[in-house]
């Protein structure tokens, strides 16, 4: 699926998201600020590569009901301007040089602030709306919170962390379309592997086939964990140069992003027919995932879904089965809330998107997994992952 023209622009989605969040916060909040990379994309429509290059990169979004301004580094200003198109909504800091012409050139020639704090402070001072309150997201720390209180006074600043979390929990149709696109790119990679599978290929060979299809479809490979034989019991391990032999399991857990939205797909493969033990173990973990899917609907708690998975796997043939979780939310982060654990009593809502999984790892022997992404509906779920859940036998 290489047609990228059918999706509405991210900036258009961000307008919907701003309407959604401002309906949740107090009526007298006129500006919302966040330094979270995910919330920046959610409110502005700009998914920044700079965060991938430097995990400590500082940026921020300042959103009103009508538009979103960004505080970005001077290096990030070029891509940010391409996304939001209005230089008046960008506040730059640091040192970086673009050779420029035209209207954008004159803007780039104006000197940026020296530091993130200076640029953010300038943005707060310019964008505050009359005497309305300013809502600040504290999920990424308290730098903006403390800055806002210092500039505006304690009475003008309110915490909107939970409001943003609530808004993002239920996905819009445009978000679900991007999750579906990201998932299909991984599935295309898995189909490529199936079509080209041969005994003796290495884990790196397999990962390369998957990554090529992801990148070719406009996605960004984020993790492509391919492990085989005894290595298949290593959770979240990088692929190696190990050659795969006949009769060995291949566990693949792969995800990418598309427009900042994540996918997470887990499947198990084998060259030749599985033995009785492998078949029995796989059917046990598959029964756990199917039990999760069978009870999934709005109003059910995350912990109840976890309990269903654990009971089914144990009854299905792995009585000692243990897991810290059997799934997680997904969206602009690979692991989002809720977490499908025995301790998370979150009530599932229509529009929540979840990855449900029941892996099994036996160190020194082998591991296997099956993982699907779904969207919760009032009466069940809408599948996002479409590839078969069965243990895939490779010829």
């Amino acid at each position: 699926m290489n047609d990228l023209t059918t999706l509405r622009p991210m900036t258009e989605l961000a307008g919907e998201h701003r309407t959604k969040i401002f309906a949740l916060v107090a009526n007298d909040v006129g500006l919302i600020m966040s330094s979270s990379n995910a919330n920046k994309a959610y409110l502005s429509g700009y998914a920044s590569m700079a965060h991938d290059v430097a995990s400590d990169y500082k940026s921020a979004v300042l959103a009103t009901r009508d538009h979103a301004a960004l505080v970005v580094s001077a290096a990030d200003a070029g891509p940010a301007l391409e996304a939001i198109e209005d230089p008046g909504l960008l506040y730059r800091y640091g040192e970086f040089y673009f050779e420029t012409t035209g209207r954008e050139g004159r803007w780039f020639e104006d000197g940026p602030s020296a530091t993130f704090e200076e640029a953010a402070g300038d943005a707060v001072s310019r964008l505050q709306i009359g005497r309305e309150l300013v809502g600040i997201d504290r999920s990424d720390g308290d730098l903006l919170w403390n800055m806002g209180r210092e500039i505006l006074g304690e009475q003008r600043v309110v915490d909107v962390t939970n409001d943003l979390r609530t808004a993002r929990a239920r996905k819009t149709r445009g978000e679900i379309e991007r999750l579906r696109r990201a998932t299909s790119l991984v599935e295309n990679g898995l189909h490529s592997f199936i079509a080209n599978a041969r005994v003796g290929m290495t884990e790196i060979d397999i990962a390369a086939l998957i990554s090529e299809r992801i990148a070719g479809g406009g996605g960004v490979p984020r993790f492509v964990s391919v492990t085989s034989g005894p290595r298949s019991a290593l959770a979240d391990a990088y692929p190696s140069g190990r050659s795969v032999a006949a009769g060995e399991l291949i566990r693949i857990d792969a995800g990418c992003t598309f427009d900042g939205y994540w996918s997470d797909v887990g499947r198990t493969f084998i060259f030749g027919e599985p033995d009785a033990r492998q078949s029995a173990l796989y059917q046990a973990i598959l029964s756990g995932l199917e039990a999760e899917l069978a009870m999934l609907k709005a109003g059910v708690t995350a912990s109840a879904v976890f309990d269903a998975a654990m009971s089914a796997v144990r009854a299905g043939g792995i009585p000692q089965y243990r897991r810290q979780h059997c799934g997680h939310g997904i969206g602009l982060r690979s692991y989002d809330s809720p977490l499908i654990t025995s301790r998370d009593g979150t009530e599932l809502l229509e529009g929540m998107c979840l990855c449900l999984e029941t892996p099994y790892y036996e160190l020194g022997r082998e591991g296997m997994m099956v993982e699907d992404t779904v969207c919760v509906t009032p009466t069940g779920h809408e599948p996002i992952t479409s590839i078969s859940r069965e243990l895939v036998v490779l010829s």
Side-chain angles (χ1 to χ4, degrees), residues 17-18 33 47 69 85 88 94 106 119 124 149 167 174 177 203 210 212 223 275 282 286 307 310 318 359 378 381:
H17 299 160
R18 292 194 299 273
M33 302 170 55
E85 298 183 334
R106 291 192 297 273
V124 172
R149 284 158 61 97
E177 289 171 352
E203 295 170 356
I210 297 169
E212 180 182 21
F223 61 95
D275 61 29
Y282 191 81
L286 179 59
D307 292 341
M310 298 299 290
I318 311 178
H381 68 276

Side-chain angles (χ1 to χ4, degrees), residues 225 227 231-238 251 253 323-324 359 361 363:
S225 178
T227 52
R231 292 197 81 243
S232 62
L234 306 178
D236 300 327
Y238 285 113
R251 186 183 60 81
D253 188 7
R323 280 291 294 164
Q324 75 279 16
Y361 308 109
L363 286 175

Side-chain angles (χ1 to χ4, degrees), residues 46 50 57 72-80 92-98 108 112:
Y46 175 50
Y57 169 53
V72 297
S73 71
D76 199 19
R92 297 170 299 143
Y93 72 91
E95 187 176 18
F96 192 86
Y97 300 99
F98 293 100
F108 274 101

Side-chain angles (χ1 to χ4, degrees), residues 165 264 292 300-307 323-330 333-348 352-357 371:
R165 185 178 297 116
D264 189 355
E292 291 184 275
V300 172
T301 63
S303 57
V305 175
F306 175 83
D307 292 341
R323 280 291 294 164
Q324 75 279 16
H325 73 78
C326 286
H328 53 87
I330 192 167
R333 297 195 308 177
S334 58
Y335 267 68
D336 221 331
S337 59
L339 199 59
I340 308 302
T341 73
S342 61
R343 299 175 297 280
D344 193 331
T346 299
E347 184 177 298
L348 303 183
M352 282 185 170
C353 291
L354 308 171
C355 287
L356 302 178
E357 60 182 316
E371 179 176 24

Side-chain angles (χ1 to χ4, degrees), residues 80-115:
L81 181 60
E82 179 187 48
I84 68 172
E85 298 183 334
D86 183 353
L89 295 175
L90 290 181
Y91 296 80
R92 297 170 299 143
Y93 72 91
E95 187 176 18
F96 192 86
Y97 300 99
F98 293 100
E99 299 302 323
T100 58
T101 59
R103 180 175 63 88
E104 290 83 1
R106 291 192 297 273
W107 174 74
F108 274 101
E109 292 303 318
D110 293 335
S113 299
T115 66

Side-chain angles (χ1 to χ4, degrees), residues 265-286:
V265 180
R267 289 295 186 267
T268 306
F269 306 80
I270 188 169
F271 280 113
E273 292 295 329
D275 61 29
R277 176 183 177 277
Q278 290 168 330
S279 294
L281 289 173
Y282 191 81
Q283 287 306 308
I285 66 168
L286 179 59

